[in-house]
Amino acid sequence: MSQSNFCHFRMYNLLVIWLSGLLLLLLSHHVRLCGADVGTASVYYQPYTPTACYGDDFSQFPTSGLFAAVGEGLWDNSAACGRQYLVRCISAVVPGTCIPGSQIQIKIVDRAQTSVSRPSYDGTGLVLSNVAFEALAIPNPEVSYLNVEFLQI
C-alpha cells in the first residue's frame, strides 16, 4: 500500500470512529431508560402521612417532593420501600400533556392500596406526589393518569 493510500485509509478510520462516538453521545439520553418497564402513574395529594413504609416520619420525604406510592404489582411485601425509579411520561389521554424531555427520579414511600390520600385513578403502578406528577405533565383536570416508562435504579 502506498503512503498516500495508507494516509487516506487511516483518516477514514479516524473519521468513522469519531462519527460513531458522536452518534453514541447524541443518542445517550435515549439509552438511559433502556430496559425500563411501561405502566401507568396517577397522582395523590396531601396528607401523605402516615405511610406504609415509614409511618409519620417526615424525613422519609425527599426535599424535592419527588416521591410516590406503588401499586400491588410493585409493592413486593414492602420491599419497595425506599426504592428509587427514573420515570418518564410517554403519553396521556389528552395529547400534549407530557412535558417533552422531562424525566424525574422518585423515591417510594408508600403503598397505594393503603395510602391515606387516595390516587386520582385506581389500579396504576405508580401514584406520584403532586410535585412529581406536575414535573412530568402539564396540569389538566381531564388527565387522571399518565402512561409512563420507569426504571429502578
Side-chain angles (χ1 to χ4, degrees):
M1 184 183 309
S2 72
Q3 181 72 20
S4 175
N5 286 344
F6 180 74
C7 287
H8 288 297
F9 178 74
R10 187 169 181 196
M11 288 196 46
Y12 173 78
N13 282 341
L14 289 174
L15 181 62
V16 168
I17 291 169
W18 183 82
L19 288 174
S20 298
L22 180 63
L23 182 62
L24 183 62
L25 180 66
L26 291 173
L27 295 177
S28 66
H29 71 281
H30 293 292
V31 176
R32 274 192 242 160
L33 293 184
C34 282
D37 291 310
V38 174
T40 52
S42 56
V43 62
Y44 72 143
Y45 299 90
Q46 292 183 350
Y48 297 116
T49 57
T51 68
C53 293
Y54 307 104
D56 287 315
D57 182 2
F58 282 96
S59 68
Q60 69 184 302
F61 301 109
T63 56
S64 65
L66 302 175
F67 58 88
V70 292
E72 292 306 293
L74 296 172
W75 177 242
D76 196 16
N77 200 29
S78 80
C81 294
R83 285 184 183 159
Q84 305 259 340
Y85 289 91
L86 292 177
V87 183
R88 182 176 75 88
C89 182
I90 299 171
S91 65
V93 172
V94 178
T97 299
C98 295
I99 297 172
S102 67
Q103 176 178 294
I104 60 171
Q105 181 176 330
I106 59 165
K107 176 184 176 185
I108 303 305
V109 298
D110 207 353
R111 181 182 189 184
Q113 187 176 33
T114 60
S115 64
V116 174
S117 177
R118 302 311 308 145
S120 60
Y121 193 85
D122 284 328
T124 58
L126 296 170
V127 183
L128 304 172
S129 67
N130 64 307
V131 172
F133 195 88
E134 291 173 8
L136 293 175
I138 299 165
N140 184 329
E142 295 177 32
V143 177
S144 58
Y145 71 94
L146 306 170
N147 296 311
V148 295
E149 189 175 55
F150 60 98
L151 176 68
Q152 183 180 344
I153 54 173

